[in-house]
Amino acid sequence: MVDGDGTQSDPWRLTTAPGSSSYEMYRDEASDPPALVCVVGSTTLKYHLSAVDDLAAWLRAQGDWVPLGAADEKKDAAAGTVEAWGRSAQNPVGGWYGLRNGYRGRFGMYLPPLLEALGLAELTHGPRNNSIRAI
């Protein structure tokens, strides 16, 4: 179950897979392109809104657990991870799902808990090296 309705006035309230950080996300369908806004403390990240459905479909196609592999934009993402897919030229947007230059990374950190909260995937919750799979 997700807390909040995913709007700016009532955002989804989420916790990272390890449970070490809280953040909020909401849909901004009026932005160009439509965005998923992630607010972590005073930092705002934005991802293509299509990331939710696209990631869920990709996870179903993988058929098994996939490591999250969260990394900042300036660091390389480990191959075969959610983070690497979120930057890949082979994903449906043809590259980065992150929309804000300098803040395009951490896709593997912030998207998977939302998919779990929406009932689209299950996530491990260890202190590190977490994974996700479609339900």
Side-chain angles (χ1 to χ4, degrees):
M1 294 295 295
V2 67
D3 186 22
D5 68 8
T7 62
Q8 186 172 6
S9 61
D10 188 19
W12 294 304
R13 287 167 284 289
L14 303 159
T15 304
T16 57
S20 57
S21 183
S22 296
Y23 61 100
E24 296 180 340
M25 292 185 102
Y26 62 90
R27 295 178 309 273
D28 182 359
E29 295 168 356
S31 71
D32 185 23
L36 185 61
V37 180
C38 179
V39 180
V40 185
S42 63
T43 302
T44 300
L45 300 97
K46 294 182 178 186
Y47 302 99
H48 283 274
L49 183 57
S50 63
V52 173
D53 293 333
D54 293 349
L55 179 56
W58 181 75
L59 289 169
R60 283 190 301 273
Q62 300 315 296
D64 202 359
W65 290 99
V66 176
L68 302 184
D72 288 332
E73 178 178 348
K74 294 183 192 299
K75 295 183 181 176
D76 290 335
T81 63
V82 170
E83 185 73 34
W85 179 83
R87 306 170 178 207
S88 171
Q90 281 68 51
N91 69 35
V93 297
W96 292 90
Y97 271 92
L99 296 171
R100 188 172 171 218
N101 195 22
Y103 296 89
R104 297 183 300 178
R106 296 291 177 175
F107 184 83
M109 173 77 68
Y110 298 120
L111 266 292
L114 177 60
L115 267 64
E116 181 179 53
L118 295 174
L120 300 170
E122 76 180 298
L123 191 56
T124 62
H125 294 280
R128 61 178 60 119
N129 300 323
N130 287 293
S131 297
I132 188 170
R133 70 175 173 187
I135 297 180

